[in-house]
């Protein structure tokens, strides 16, 4: 099986966003501290802007050099995975018992 290549920028942005969001979610579920909800809300806003900027950069890079930058196209798909993960985390927060 062939290894899937991702650009370093896209891969790092995905992992930082994913791991930070997961840490905030787990911390809130364990402690039920209200400040973590506020921190998580601001994190989602900042992470969304950063992810969109990186996604647009990777998409432009891919479209400008399709044959050379397949890793950028793969990174666009990787960054898009953050959207359903965020929706799932928000669903978990909204349906967790206080």
């Amino acid at each position: 099986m062939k290894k899937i290549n991702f650009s370093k920028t896209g891969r790092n942005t995905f992992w930082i966003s994913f791991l930070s969001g997961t840490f905030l979610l787990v911390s809130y579920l364990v402690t039920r501290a209200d400040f973590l909800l506020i921190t998580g809300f601001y994190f989602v806003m900042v992470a969304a802007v950063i992810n969109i900027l990186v996604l647009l950069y990777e998409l432009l890079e891919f479209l400008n050099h399709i044959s050379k930058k397949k890793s950028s196209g793969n990174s666009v798909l990787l960054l898009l995975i953050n959207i359903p993960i965020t929706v799932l985390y928000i669903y978990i927060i909204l349906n967790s018992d206080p």
Side-chain angles (χ1 to χ4, degrees), residues 44 81-95:
V44 168
I81 292 172
N82 274 332
I83 296 169
I85 291 171
T86 303
V87 171
L88 175 66
Y89 285 5
I90 291 171
Y91 178 80
I92 291 170
I93 294 280
L94 292 176
N95 290 312

Side-chain angles (χ1 to χ4, degrees), residues 9-53:
T9 304
R11 184 184 66 237
N12 289 343
T13 303
F14 168 79
W15 281 113
I16 290 169
S17 295
F18 175 74
L19 293 175
S20 300
T22 302
F23 175 76
L24 284 169
L25 175 69
V26 170
S27 297
Y28 171 73
L29 292 175
V30 170
T31 64
R32 299 292 182 186
D34 288 337
F35 80 92
L36 287 171
L37 281 177
I38 296 166
T39 303
F41 173 76
Y42 286 115
F43 170 76
V44 168
M45 295 299 129
V46 171
V49 170
I50 292 170
N51 276 288
I52 288 170
L53 291 174

